[in-house]
PDB file of all heavy atoms in Angstrom:
ATOM      1  N   GLU A  19      40.256 -19.966   5.467  1.00  0.00           N
ATOM      2  CA  GLU A  19      39.824 -19.141   4.325  1.00  0.00           C
ATOM      3  C   GLU A  19      38.418 -19.530   3.864  1.00  0.00           C
ATOM      4  O   GLU A  19      37.569 -18.677   3.623  1.00  0.00           O
ATOM      5  CB  GLU A  19      40.805 -19.281   3.149  1.00  0.00           C
ATOM      6  CG  GLU A  19      42.117 -18.561   3.331  1.00  0.00           C
ATOM      7  CD  GLU A  19      41.940 -17.066   3.542  1.00  0.00           C
ATOM      8  OE1 GLU A  19      41.185 -16.423   2.800  1.00  0.00           O
ATOM      9  OE2 GLU A  19      42.557 -16.532   4.485  1.00  0.00           O
ATOM     10  N   TRP A  20      38.173 -20.840   3.752  1.00  0.00           N
ATOM     11  CA  TRP A  20      36.850 -21.298   3.296  1.00  0.00           C
ATOM     12  C   TRP A  20      35.782 -21.025   4.347  1.00  0.00           C
ATOM     13  O   TRP A  20      34.656 -20.663   4.011  1.00  0.00           O
ATOM     14  CB  TRP A  20      36.901 -22.791   2.929  1.00  0.00           C
ATOM     15  CG  TRP A  20      37.645 -23.017   1.648  1.00  0.00           C
ATOM     16  CD1 TRP A  20      38.891 -23.544   1.508  1.00  0.00           C
ATOM     17  CD2 TRP A  20      37.218 -22.676   0.325  1.00  0.00           C
ATOM     18  NE1 TRP A  20      39.258 -23.566   0.190  1.00  0.00           N
ATOM     19  CE2 TRP A  20      38.252 -23.049  -0.567  1.00  0.00           C
ATOM     20  CE3 TRP A  20      36.057 -22.116  -0.191  1.00  0.00           C
ATOM     21  CZ2 TRP A  20      38.164 -22.865  -1.942  1.00  0.00           C
ATOM     22  CZ3 TRP A  20      35.963 -21.925  -1.573  1.00  0.00           C
ATOM     23  CH2 TRP A  20      37.003 -22.300  -2.429  1.00  0.00           C
ATOM     24  N   LEU A  21      36.134 -21.171   5.630  1.00  0.00           N
ATOM     25  CA  LEU A  21      35.157 -20.879   6.686  1.00  0.00           C
ATOM     26  C   LEU A  21      34.828 -19.384   6.739  1.00  0.00           C
ATOM     27  O   LEU A  21      33.682 -19.003   7.002  1.00  0.00           O
ATOM     28  CB  LEU A  21      35.660 -21.364   8.042  1.00  0.00           C
ATOM     29  CG  LEU A  21      35.644 -22.879   8.246  1.00  0.00           C
ATOM     30  CD1 LEU A  21      36.293 -23.245   9.569  1.00  0.00           C
ATOM     31  CD2 LEU A  21      34.228 -23.451   8.185  1.00  0.00           C
ATOM     32  N   LEU A  22      35.808 -18.535   6.451  1.00  0.00           N
ATOM     33  CA  LEU A  22      35.547 -17.089   6.408  1.00  0.00           C
ATOM     34  C   LEU A  22      34.588 -16.757   5.261  1.00  0.00           C
ATOM     35  O   LEU A  22      33.695 -15.914   5.404  1.00  0.00           O
ATOM     36  CB  LEU A  22      36.860 -16.301   6.281  1.00  0.00           C
ATOM     37  CG  LEU A  22      37.737 -16.298   7.536  1.00  0.00           C
ATOM     38  CD1 LEU A  22      39.095 -15.667   7.244  1.00  0.00           C
ATOM     39  CD2 LEU A  22      37.042 -15.584   8.697  1.00  0.00           C
ATOM     40  N   GLN A  23      34.767 -17.446   4.124  1.00  0.00           N
ATOM     41  CA  GLN A  23      33.803 -17.270   3.027  1.00  0.00           C
ATOM     42  C   GLN A  23      32.421 -17.755   3.452  1.00  0.00           C
ATOM     43  O   GLN A  23      31.407 -17.140   3.130  1.00  0.00           O
ATOM     44  CB  GLN A  23      34.252 -18.036   1.783  1.00  0.00           C
ATOM     45  CG  GLN A  23      35.351 -17.375   1.001  1.00  0.00           C
ATOM     46  CD  GLN A  23      35.582 -18.091  -0.309  1.00  0.00           C
ATOM     47  OE1 GLN A  23      34.652 -18.343  -1.082  1.00  0.00           O
ATOM     48  NE2 GLN A  23      36.831 -18.442  -0.577  1.00  0.00           N
ATOM     49  N   LEU A  24      32.415 -18.861   4.179  1.00  0.00           N
ATOM     50  CA  LEU A  24      31.145 -19.439   4.625  1.00  0.00           C
ATOM     51  C   LEU A  24      30.395 -18.490   5.557  1.00  0.00           C
ATOM     52  O   LEU A  24      29.184 -18.303   5.414  1.00  0.00           O
ATOM     53  CB  LEU A  24      31.401 -20.787   5.303  1.00  0.00           C
ATOM     54  CG  LEU A  24      30.201 -21.516   5.899  1.00  0.00           C
ATOM     55  CD1 LEU A  24      29.083 -21.710   4.899  1.00  0.00           C
ATOM     56  CD2 LEU A  24      30.638 -22.862   6.466  1.00  0.00           C
ATOM     57  N   ILE A  25      31.097 -17.855   6.497  1.00  0.00           N
ATOM     58  CA  ILE A  25      30.367 -16.961   7.407  1.00  0.00           C
ATOM     59  C   ILE A  25      29.933 -15.662   6.723  1.00  0.00           C
ATOM     60  O   ILE A  25      29.096 -14.946   7.253  1.00  0.00           O
ATOM     61  CB  ILE A  25      31.111 -16.663   8.736  1.00  0.00           C
ATOM     62  CG1 ILE A  25      32.438 -15.980   8.506  1.00  0.00           C
ATOM     63  CG2 ILE A  25      31.214 -17.883   9.607  1.00  0.00           C
ATOM     64  CD1 ILE A  25      33.033 -15.402   9.775  1.00  0.00           C
ATOM     65  N   SER A  26      30.478 -15.389   5.541  1.00  0.00           N
ATOM     66  CA  SER A  26      29.944 -14.252   4.778  1.00  0.00           C
ATOM     67  C   SER A  26      28.591 -14.622   4.172  1.00  0.00           C
ATOM     68  O   SER A  26      27.771 -13.764   3.894  1.00  0.00           O
ATOM     69  CB  SER A  26      30.926 -13.812   3.690  1.00  0.00           C
ATOM     70  OG  SER A  26      30.973 -14.750   2.639  1.00  0.00           O
ATOM     71  N   VAL A  27      28.345 -15.927   4.012  1.00  0.00           N
ATOM     72  CA  VAL A  27      27.060 -16.407   3.481  1.00  0.00           C
ATOM     73  C   VAL A  27      26.076 -16.673   4.625  1.00  0.00           C
ATOM     74  O   VAL A  27      24.903 -16.333   4.536  1.00  0.00           O
ATOM     75  CB  VAL A  27      27.265 -17.691   2.638  1.00  0.00           C
ATOM     76  CG1 VAL A  27      25.937 -18.246   2.149  1.00  0.00           C
ATOM     77  CG2 VAL A  27      28.193 -17.423   1.462  1.00  0.00           C
ATOM     78  N   VAL A  28      26.553 -17.306   5.703  1.00  0.00           N
ATOM     79  CA  VAL A  28      25.707 -17.590   6.876  1.00  0.00           C
ATOM     80  C   VAL A  28      26.391 -17.042   8.132  1.00  0.00           C
ATOM     81  O   VAL A  28      27.020 -17.798   8.878  1.00  0.00           O
ATOM     82  CB  VAL A  28      25.405 -19.110   7.024  1.00  0.00           C
ATOM     83  CG1 VAL A  28      24.361 -19.574   6.039  1.00  0.00           C
ATOM     84  CG2 VAL A  28      26.656 -19.958   6.880  1.00  0.00           C
ATOM     85  N   PRO A  29      26.279 -15.745   8.380  1.00  0.00           N
ATOM     86  CA  PRO A  29      27.044 -15.125   9.467  1.00  0.00           C
ATOM     87  C   PRO A  29      26.615 -15.505  10.876  1.00  0.00           C
ATOM     88  O   PRO A  29      27.336 -15.228  11.830  1.00  0.00           O
ATOM     89  CB  PRO A  29      26.832 -13.623   9.225  1.00  0.00           C
ATOM     90  CG  PRO A  29      25.604 -13.526   8.422  1.00  0.00           C
ATOM     91  CD  PRO A  29      25.509 -14.777   7.605  1.00  0.00           C
ATOM     92  N   THR A  30      25.463 -16.160  11.026  1.00  0.00           N
ATOM     93  CA  THR A  30      24.969 -16.449  12.380  1.00  0.00           C
ATOM     94  C   THR A  30      25.025 -17.929  12.735  1.00  0.00           C
ATOM     95  O   THR A  30      24.364 -18.362  13.678  1.00  0.00           O
ATOM     96  CB  THR A  30      23.510 -15.954  12.531  1.00  0.00           C
ATOM     97  OG1 THR A  30      22.701 -16.626  11.556  1.00  0.00           O
ATOM     98  CG2 THR A  30      23.415 -14.452  12.324  1.00  0.00           C
ATOM     99  N   ASP A  31      25.801 -18.721  12.010  1.00  0.00           N
ATOM    100  CA  ASP A  31      25.871 -20.157  12.296  1.00  0.00           C
ATOM    101  C   ASP A  31      26.865 -20.401  13.437  1.00  0.00           C
ATOM    102  O   ASP A  31      28.075 -20.264  13.255  1.00  0.00           O
ATOM    103  CB  ASP A  31      26.313 -20.923  11.049  1.00  0.00           C
ATOM    104  CG  ASP A  31      26.248 -22.428  11.245  1.00  0.00           C
ATOM    105  OD1 ASP A  31      26.740 -22.923  12.284  1.00  0.00           O
ATOM    106  OD2 ASP A  31      25.696 -23.118  10.371  1.00  0.00           O
ATOM    107  N   PRO A  32      26.369 -20.761  14.642  1.00  0.00           N
ATOM    108  CA  PRO A  32      27.264 -20.905  15.799  1.00  0.00           C
ATOM    109  C   PRO A  32      28.273 -22.041  15.635  1.00  0.00           C
ATOM    110  O   PRO A  32      29.391 -21.960  16.148  1.00  0.00           O
ATOM    111  CB  PRO A  32      26.312 -21.166  16.958  1.00  0.00           C
ATOM    112  CG  PRO A  32      25.068 -21.687  16.347  1.00  0.00           C
ATOM    113  CD  PRO A  32      24.977 -21.068  14.983  1.00  0.00           C
ATOM    114  N   HIS A  33      27.906 -23.092  14.910  1.00  0.00           N
ATOM    115  CA  HIS A  33      28.817 -24.223  14.709  1.00  0.00           C
ATOM    116  C   HIS A  33      30.027 -23.788  13.886  1.00  0.00           C
ATOM    117  O   HIS A  33      31.173 -24.114  14.225  1.00  0.00           O
ATOM    118  CB  HIS A  33      28.077 -25.379  14.019  1.00  0.00           C
ATOM    119  CG  HIS A  33      28.947 -26.548  13.697  1.00  0.00           C
ATOM    120  ND1 HIS A  33      29.485 -27.363  14.664  1.00  0.00           N
ATOM    121  CD2 HIS A  33      29.423 -27.008  12.520  1.00  0.00           C
ATOM    122  CE1 HIS A  33      30.233 -28.293  14.092  1.00  0.00           C
ATOM    123  NE2 HIS A  33      30.216 -28.091  12.788  1.00  0.00           N
ATOM    124  N   VAL A  34      29.766 -23.046  12.809  1.00  0.00           N
ATOM    125  CA  VAL A  34      30.856 -22.579  11.949  1.00  0.00           C
ATOM    126  C   VAL A  34      31.737 -21.590  12.712  1.00  0.00           C
ATOM    127  O   VAL A  34      32.970 -21.646  12.631  1.00  0.00           O
ATOM    128  CB  VAL A  34      30.294 -21.923  10.668  1.00  0.00           C
ATOM    129  CG1 VAL A  34      31.413 -21.309   9.834  1.00  0.00           C
ATOM    130  CG2 VAL A  34      29.535 -22.957   9.840  1.00  0.00           C
ATOM    131  N   LEU A  35      31.106 -20.710  13.487  1.00  0.00           N
ATOM    132  CA  LEU A  35      31.870 -19.732  14.269  1.00  0.00           C
ATOM    133  C   LEU A  35      32.771 -20.420  15.303  1.00  0.00           C
ATOM    134  O   LEU A  35      33.931 -20.046  15.477  1.00  0.00           O
ATOM    135  CB  LEU A  35      30.918 -18.745  14.946  1.00  0.00           C
ATOM    136  CG  LEU A  35      30.192 -17.785  13.993  1.00  0.00           C
ATOM    137  CD1 LEU A  35      29.003 -17.132  14.683  1.00  0.00           C
ATOM    138  CD2 LEU A  35      31.142 -16.733  13.445  1.00  0.00           C
ATOM    139  N   SER A  36      32.251 -21.464  15.974  1.00  0.00           N
ATOM    140  CA  SER A  36      33.086 -22.175  16.956  1.00  0.00           C
ATOM    141  C   SER A  36      34.193 -22.960  16.261  1.00  0.00           C
ATOM    142  O   SER A  36      35.298 -23.090  16.783  1.00  0.00           O
ATOM    143  CB  SER A  36      32.242 -23.086  17.854  1.00  0.00           C
ATOM    144  OG  SER A  36      31.789 -24.214  17.161  1.00  0.00           O
ATOM    145  N   LYS A  37      33.909 -23.467  15.058  1.00  0.00           N
ATOM    146  CA  LYS A  37      34.940 -24.175  14.283  1.00  0.00           C
ATOM    147  C   LYS A  37      36.080 -23.215  13.925  1.00  0.00           C
ATOM    148  O   LYS A  37      37.252 -23.570  14.005  1.00  0.00           O
ATOM    149  CB  LYS A  37      34.303 -24.760  13.017  1.00  0.00           C
ATOM    150  CG  LYS A  37      35.026 -25.951  12.443  1.00  0.00           C
ATOM    151  CD  LYS A  37      34.158 -26.528  11.339  1.00  0.00           C
ATOM    152  CE  LYS A  37      34.428 -27.940  10.952  1.00  0.00           C
ATOM    153  NZ  LYS A  37      34.880 -28.860  11.924  1.00  0.00           N
ATOM    154  N   LEU A  38      35.703 -21.991  13.538  1.00  0.00           N
ATOM    155  CA  LEU A  38      36.712 -20.974  13.257  1.00  0.00           C
ATOM    156  C   LEU A  38      37.530 -20.665  14.515  1.00  0.00           C
ATOM    157  O   LEU A  38      38.759 -20.558  14.455  1.00  0.00           O
ATOM    158  CB  LEU A  38      36.040 -19.693  12.755  1.00  0.00           C
ATOM    159  CG  LEU A  38      36.025 -19.474  11.248  1.00  0.00           C
ATOM    160  CD1 LEU A  38      35.126 -18.306  10.891  1.00  0.00           C
ATOM    161  CD2 LEU A  38      37.405 -19.282  10.683  1.00  0.00           C
ATOM    162  N   GLY A  39      36.839 -20.518  15.645  1.00  0.00           N
ATOM    163  CA  GLY A  39      37.524 -20.282  16.914  1.00  0.00           C
ATOM    164  C   GLY A  39      38.516 -21.390  17.214  1.00  0.00           C
ATOM    165  O   GLY A  39      39.669 -21.128  17.606  1.00  0.00           O
ATOM    166  N   ASN A  40      38.095 -22.630  17.000  1.00  0.00           N
ATOM    167  CA  ASN A  40      38.955 -23.780  17.253  1.00  0.00           C
ATOM    168  C   ASN A  40      40.187 -23.767  16.359  1.00  0.00           C
ATOM    169  O   ASN A  40      41.309 -24.032  16.816  1.00  0.00           O
ATOM    170  CB  ASN A  40      38.156 -25.071  17.057  1.00  0.00           C
ATOM    171  CG  ASN A  40      39.000 -26.303  17.309  1.00  0.00           C
ATOM    172  OD1 ASN A  40      39.599 -26.841  16.389  1.00  0.00           O
ATOM    173  ND2 ASN A  40      39.052 -26.730  18.545  1.00  0.00           N
ATOM    174  N   LEU A  41      40.000 -23.450  15.058  1.00  0.00           N
ATOM    175  CA  LEU A  41      41.138 -23.424  14.133  1.00  0.00           C
ATOM    176  C   LEU A  41      42.127 -22.322  14.500  1.00  0.00           C
ATOM    177  O   LEU A  41      43.338 -22.534  14.477  1.00  0.00           O
ATOM    178  CB  LEU A  41      40.637 -23.237  12.690  1.00  0.00           C
ATOM    179  CG  LEU A  41      40.107 -24.506  12.027  1.00  0.00           C
ATOM    180  CD1 LEU A  41      39.375 -24.180  10.731  1.00  0.00           C
ATOM    181  CD2 LEU A  41      41.238 -25.485  11.753  1.00  0.00           C
ATOM    182  N   TYR A  42      41.593 -21.140  14.837  1.00  0.00           N
ATOM    183  CA  TYR A  42      42.487 -20.051  15.245  1.00  0.00           C
ATOM    184  C   TYR A  42      43.232 -20.417  16.533  1.00  0.00           C
ATOM    185  O   TYR A  42      44.415 -20.107  16.691  1.00  0.00           O
ATOM    186  CB  TYR A  42      41.719 -18.746  15.415  1.00  0.00           C
ATOM    187  CG  TYR A  42      41.527 -17.989  14.126  1.00  0.00           C
ATOM    188  CD1 TYR A  42      40.259 -17.754  13.598  1.00  0.00           C
ATOM    189  CD2 TYR A  42      42.628 -17.496  13.414  1.00  0.00           C
ATOM    190  CE1 TYR A  42      40.078 -17.059  12.419  1.00  0.00           C
ATOM    191  CE2 TYR A  42      42.459 -16.793  12.230  1.00  0.00           C
ATOM    192  CZ  TYR A  42      41.183 -16.576  11.736  1.00  0.00           C
ATOM    193  OH  TYR A  42      41.025 -15.879  10.556  1.00  0.00           O
ATOM    194  N   ASP A  43      42.534 -21.091  17.450  1.00  0.00           N
ATOM    195  CA  ASP A  43      43.165 -21.518  18.700  1.00  0.00           C
ATOM    196  C   ASP A  43      44.297 -22.498  18.411  1.00  0.00           C
ATOM    197  O   ASP A  43      45.391 -22.390  18.965  1.00  0.00           O
ATOM    198  CB  ASP A  43      42.119 -22.157  19.616  1.00  0.00           C
ATOM    199  CG  ASP A  43      42.676 -22.482  20.995  1.00  0.00           C
ATOM    200  OD1 ASP A  43      43.526 -21.711  21.495  1.00  0.00           O
ATOM    201  OD2 ASP A  43      42.260 -23.505  21.572  1.00  0.00           O
ATOM    202  N   THR A  44      44.035 -23.445  17.518  1.00  0.00           N
ATOM    203  CA  THR A  44      45.052 -24.426  17.127  1.00  0.00           C
ATOM    204  C   THR A  44      46.268 -23.742  16.511  1.00  0.00           C
ATOM    205  O   THR A  44      47.404 -24.176  16.712  1.00  0.00           O
ATOM    206  CB  THR A  44      44.456 -25.437  16.125  1.00  0.00           C
ATOM    207  OG1 THR A  44      43.288 -26.025  16.708  1.00  0.00           O
ATOM    208  CG2 THR A  44      45.428 -26.545  15.780  1.00  0.00           C
ATOM    209  N   GLU A  45      46.018 -22.657  15.775  1.00  0.00           N
ATOM    210  CA  GLU A  45      47.094 -21.913  15.128  1.00  0.00           C
ATOM    211  C   GLU A  45      47.797 -20.960  16.088  1.00  0.00           C
ATOM    212  O   GLU A  45      48.744 -20.279  15.714  1.00  0.00           O
ATOM    213  CB  GLU A  45      46.541 -21.126  13.932  1.00  0.00           C
ATOM    214  CG  GLU A  45      46.155 -21.994  12.751  1.00  0.00           C
ATOM    215  CD  GLU A  45      47.340 -22.756  12.177  1.00  0.00           C
ATOM    216  OE1 GLU A  45      48.168 -22.149  11.486  1.00  0.00           O
ATOM    217  OE2 GLU A  45      47.447 -23.968  12.457  1.00  0.00           O
ATOM    218  N   GLY A  46      47.279 -20.863  17.345  1.00  0.00           N
ATOM    219  CA  GLY A  46      47.922 -20.025  18.350  1.00  0.00           C
ATOM    220  C   GLY A  46      47.471 -18.569  18.357  1.00  0.00           C
ATOM    221  O   GLY A  46      48.061 -17.736  19.046  1.00  0.00           O
ATOM    222  N   ASP A  47      46.424 -18.255  17.580  1.00  0.00           N
ATOM    223  CA  ASP A  47      45.915 -16.882  17.530  1.00  0.00           C
ATOM    224  C   ASP A  47      44.744 -16.755  18.513  1.00  0.00           C
ATOM    225  O   ASP A  47      43.579 -16.895  18.150  1.00  0.00           O
ATOM    226  CB  ASP A  47      45.483 -16.540  16.099  1.00  0.00           C
ATOM    227  CG  ASP A  47      45.143 -15.067  15.910  1.00  0.00           C
ATOM    228  OD1 ASP A  47      44.866 -14.385  16.916  1.00  0.00           O
ATOM    229  OD2 ASP A  47      45.144 -14.610  14.751  1.00  0.00           O
ATOM    230  N   LYS A  48      45.077 -16.492  19.785  1.00  0.00           N
ATOM    231  CA  LYS A  48      44.058 -16.477  20.849  1.00  0.00           C
ATOM    232  C   LYS A  48      43.038 -15.356  20.668  1.00  0.00           C
ATOM    233  O   LYS A  48      41.864 -15.536  20.983  1.00  0.00           O
ATOM    234  CB  LYS A  48      44.721 -16.332  22.228  1.00  0.00           C
ATOM    235  CG  LYS A  48      45.535 -17.531  22.648  1.00  0.00           C
ATOM    236  CD  LYS A  48      44.665 -18.666  23.088  1.00  0.00           C
ATOM    237  CE  LYS A  48      45.490 -19.828  23.630  1.00  0.00           C
ATOM    238  NZ  LYS A  48      44.740 -21.054  23.732  1.00  0.00           N
ATOM    239  N   SER A  49      43.466 -14.194  20.177  1.00  0.00           N
ATOM    240  CA  SER A  49      42.526 -13.073  20.068  1.00  0.00           C
ATOM    241  C   SER A  49      41.455 -13.355  19.013  1.00  0.00           C
ATOM    242  O   SER A  49      40.267 -13.087  19.230  1.00  0.00           O
ATOM    243  CB  SER A  49      43.245 -11.758  19.776  1.00  0.00           C
ATOM    244  OG  SER A  49      43.867 -11.807  18.508  1.00  0.00           O
ATOM    245  N   GLN A  50      41.854 -13.936  17.870  1.00  0.00           N
ATOM    246  CA  GLN A  50      40.871 -14.296  16.845  1.00  0.00           C
ATOM    247  C   GLN A  50      39.993 -15.451  17.347  1.00  0.00           C
ATOM    248  O   GLN A  50      38.791 -15.459  17.112  1.00  0.00           O
ATOM    249  CB  GLN A  50      41.560 -14.704  15.539  1.00  0.00           C
ATOM    250  CG  GLN A  50      42.069 -13.530  14.731  1.00  0.00           C
ATOM    251  CD  GLN A  50      40.940 -12.758  14.063  1.00  0.00           C
ATOM    252  OE1 GLN A  50      39.998 -12.296  14.708  1.00  0.00           O
ATOM    253  NE2 GLN A  50      41.034 -12.596  12.767  1.00  0.00           N
ATOM    254  N   ALA A  51      40.609 -16.408  18.030  1.00  0.00           N
ATOM    255  CA  ALA A  51      39.847 -17.528  18.591  1.00  0.00           C
ATOM    256  C   ALA A  51      38.798 -16.999  19.557  1.00  0.00           C
ATOM    257  O   ALA A  51      37.622 -17.395  19.501  1.00  0.00           O
ATOM    258  CB  ALA A  51      40.777 -18.500  19.299  1.00  0.00           C
ATOM    259  N   PHE A  52      39.193 -16.078  20.421  1.00  0.00           N
ATOM    260  CA  PHE A  52      38.270 -15.481  21.390  1.00  0.00           C
ATOM    261  C   PHE A  52      37.115 -14.784  20.677  1.00  0.00           C
ATOM    262  O   PHE A  52      35.947 -14.951  21.050  1.00  0.00           O
ATOM    263  CB  PHE A  52      39.025 -14.479  22.275  1.00  0.00           C
ATOM    264  CG  PHE A  52      38.137 -13.723  23.229  1.00  0.00           C
ATOM    265  CD1 PHE A  52      37.527 -14.377  24.292  1.00  0.00           C
ATOM    266  CD2 PHE A  52      37.893 -12.368  23.055  1.00  0.00           C
ATOM    267  CE1 PHE A  52      36.697 -13.684  25.175  1.00  0.00           C
ATOM    268  CE2 PHE A  52      37.064 -11.669  23.926  1.00  0.00           C
ATOM    269  CZ  PHE A  52      36.467 -12.326  24.990  1.00  0.00           C
ATOM    270  N   HIS A  53      37.439 -14.029  19.636  1.00  0.00           N
ATOM    271  CA  HIS A  53      36.393 -13.314  18.874  1.00  0.00           C
ATOM    272  C   HIS A  53      35.341 -14.293  18.347  1.00  0.00           C
ATOM    273  O   HIS A  53      34.135 -14.082  18.531  1.00  0.00           O
ATOM    274  CB  HIS A  53      37.022 -12.524  17.719  1.00  0.00           C
ATOM    275  CG  HIS A  53      36.016 -11.988  16.755  1.00  0.00           C
ATOM    276  ND1 HIS A  53      35.181 -10.926  17.061  1.00  0.00           N
ATOM    277  CD2 HIS A  53      35.672 -12.383  15.505  1.00  0.00           C
ATOM    278  CE1 HIS A  53      34.389 -10.688  16.026  1.00  0.00           C
ATOM    279  NE2 HIS A  53      34.666 -11.559  15.081  1.00  0.00           N
ATOM    280  N   TYR A  54      35.786 -15.364  17.676  1.00  0.00           N
ATOM    281  CA  TYR A  54      34.828 -16.286  17.053  1.00  0.00           C
ATOM    282  C   TYR A  54      34.097 -17.154  18.073  1.00  0.00           C
ATOM    283  O   TYR A  54      32.916 -17.463  17.905  1.00  0.00           O
ATOM    284  CB  TYR A  54      35.504 -17.127  15.968  1.00  0.00           C
ATOM    285  CG  TYR A  54      35.790 -16.279  14.748  1.00  0.00           C
ATOM    286  CD1 TYR A  54      37.087 -15.911  14.411  1.00  0.00           C
ATOM    287  CD2 TYR A  54      34.749 -15.804  13.960  1.00  0.00           C
ATOM    288  CE1 TYR A  54      37.339 -15.104  13.314  1.00  0.00           C
ATOM    289  CE2 TYR A  54      34.995 -14.991  12.857  1.00  0.00           C
ATOM    290  CZ  TYR A  54      36.281 -14.646  12.545  1.00  0.00           C
ATOM    291  OH  TYR A  54      36.520 -13.840  11.460  1.00  0.00           O
ATOM    292  N   TYR A  55      34.773 -17.516  19.163  1.00  0.00           N
ATOM    293  CA  TYR A  55      34.076 -18.243  20.224  1.00  0.00           C
ATOM    294  C   TYR A  55      33.007 -17.358  20.866  1.00  0.00           C
ATOM    295  O   TYR A  55      31.905 -17.826  21.182  1.00  0.00           O
ATOM    296  CB  TYR A  55      35.050 -18.761  21.273  1.00  0.00           C
ATOM    297  CG  TYR A  55      35.667 -20.099  20.938  1.00  0.00           C
ATOM    298  CD1 TYR A  55      37.048 -20.274  20.903  1.00  0.00           C
ATOM    299  CD2 TYR A  55      34.865 -21.211  20.674  1.00  0.00           C
ATOM    300  CE1 TYR A  55      37.610 -21.507  20.615  1.00  0.00           C
ATOM    301  CE2 TYR A  55      35.420 -22.440  20.378  1.00  0.00           C
ATOM    302  CZ  TYR A  55      36.785 -22.584  20.350  1.00  0.00           C
ATOM    303  OH  TYR A  55      37.335 -23.818  20.052  1.00  0.00           O
ATOM    304  N   CYS A  56      33.309 -16.071  21.061  1.00  0.00           N
ATOM    305  CA  CYS A  56      32.311 -15.143  21.624  1.00  0.00           C
ATOM    306  C   CYS A  56      31.110 -15.013  20.703  1.00  0.00           C
ATOM    307  O   CYS A  56      29.957 -14.999  21.155  1.00  0.00           O
ATOM    308  CB  CYS A  56      32.925 -13.759  21.857  1.00  0.00           C
ATOM    309  SG  CYS A  56      33.876 -13.667  23.369  1.00  0.00           S
ATOM    310  N   GLU A  57      31.381 -14.915  19.394  1.00  0.00           N
ATOM    311  CA  GLU A  57      30.288 -14.820  18.414  1.00  0.00           C
ATOM    312  C   GLU A  57      29.427 -16.081  18.440  1.00  0.00           C
ATOM    313  O   GLU A  57      28.200 -16.020  18.407  1.00  0.00           O
ATOM    314  CB  GLU A  57      30.848 -14.594  16.999  1.00  0.00           C
ATOM    315  CG  GLU A  57      31.353 -13.200  16.750  1.00  0.00           C
ATOM    316  CD  GLU A  57      30.240 -12.168  16.816  1.00  0.00           C
ATOM    317  OE1 GLU A  57      29.402 -12.130  15.911  1.00  0.00           O
ATOM    318  OE2 GLU A  57      30.189 -11.406  17.800  1.00  0.00           O
ATOM    319  N   SER A  58      30.086 -17.231  18.513  1.00  0.00           N
ATOM    320  CA  SER A  58      29.365 -18.501  18.580  1.00  0.00           C
ATOM    321  C   SER A  58      28.490 -18.549  19.831  1.00  0.00           C
ATOM    322  O   SER A  58      27.315 -18.930  19.773  1.00  0.00           O
ATOM    323  CB  SER A  58      30.360 -19.667  18.584  1.00  0.00           C
ATOM    324  OG  SER A  58      29.690 -20.892  18.737  1.00  0.00           O
TER     325      SER A  58
END
């Protein structure tokens, strides 16, 4: 939730985007993980 707020402020930060991808991957949501890893 906090990282989603963060990317609304800095939408092009690859580190934050990959962190989001990692968290979604850990939670088992591969499609969201793929989206954020691709953005990163």
Side-chain angles (χ1 to χ4, degrees):
E19 286 301 313
W20 287 106
L21 287 174
L22 289 172
Q23 283 189 51
L24 177 54
I25 61 167
S26 72
V27 177
V28 284
T30 59
D31 187 313
H33 176 69
V34 174
L35 291 164
S36 73
K37 205 171 200 32
L38 261 170
N40 180 268
L41 280 168
Y42 276 117
D43 186 35
T44 305
E45 288 298 285
D47 189 340
K48 292 284 185 195
S49 65
Q50 283 287 56
F52 175 69
H53 169 73
Y54 287 109
Y55 274 125
C56 280
E57 285 295 289
S58 176

